[in-house]
Amino acid sequence: KRCREPKHERRPWRIWFLDTSKQAIGMLFIHFANVYLSDLTEEDPCSLYLINFLLDATLGMLLIYIGIRAVSSIVEWQQWDSLRFGEYG
């Protein structure tokens, strides 16, 4: 995906890795939660994965959006430059 970005807007490897590692950690968490829940409930793992994915893609994204907006407002209000989202120094 990094190679598809325009050359003048391409993120450095370190920043690209930090961004993609967050996504990988989230996918691993959902995978292991799905395996754990399927053992507890004896449900079909595929249907549980679909439910987990849909909840993550809807409610999870809404909660993340609200959280980022709230934290960004506090960071701007307190003028904490080192805590701005997307700024890796």
Side-chain angles (χ1 to χ4, degrees), residues 37-62:
L37 288 174
S38 67
D39 283 342
L40 280 181
T41 60
E42 297 180 8
E43 292 287 329
D44 177 30
C46 293
S47 63
L48 284 177
Y49 180 79
L50 179 63
I51 292 169
N52 283 339
F53 176 76
L54 291 174
L55 286 174
D56 184 46
T58 55
L59 294 177
M61 291 302 289
L62 179 64

Side-chain angles (χ1 to χ4, degrees), residues 1-6 10-11 13 16 19-20 23:
K1 180 179 175 184
R2 182 182 182 276
C3 296
R4 307 269 307 159
E5 295 175 350
R10 193 172 291 171
R11 298 169 285 178
W13 280 104
W16 179 83
D19 288 342
T20 56
Q23 295 171 0

Side-chain angles (χ1 to χ4, degrees), residues 2-43:
R2 182 182 182 276
C3 296
R4 307 269 307 159
E5 295 175 350
K7 285 194 186 258
H8 63 281
E9 295 178 12
R10 193 172 291 171
R11 298 169 285 178
W13 280 104
R14 179 175 170 253
I15 293 175
W16 179 83
F17 176 76
L18 290 172
D19 288 342
T20 56
S21 65
K22 291 180 235 174
Q23 295 171 0
I25 290 169
M27 289 186 296
L28 280 173
F29 178 76
I30 287 178
H31 172 73
F32 287 116
N34 182 46
V35 170
Y36 178 73
L37 288 174
S38 67
D39 283 342
L40 280 181
T41 60
E42 297 180 8
E43 292 287 329

Side-chain angles (χ1 to χ4, degrees), residues 61-75 85:
M61 291 302 289
L62 179 64
L63 289 174
I64 289 170
Y65 176 76
I66 291 169
I68 286 176
R69 297 291 292 187
V71 171
S72 292
S73 296
I74 293 169
V75 166
F85 284 103

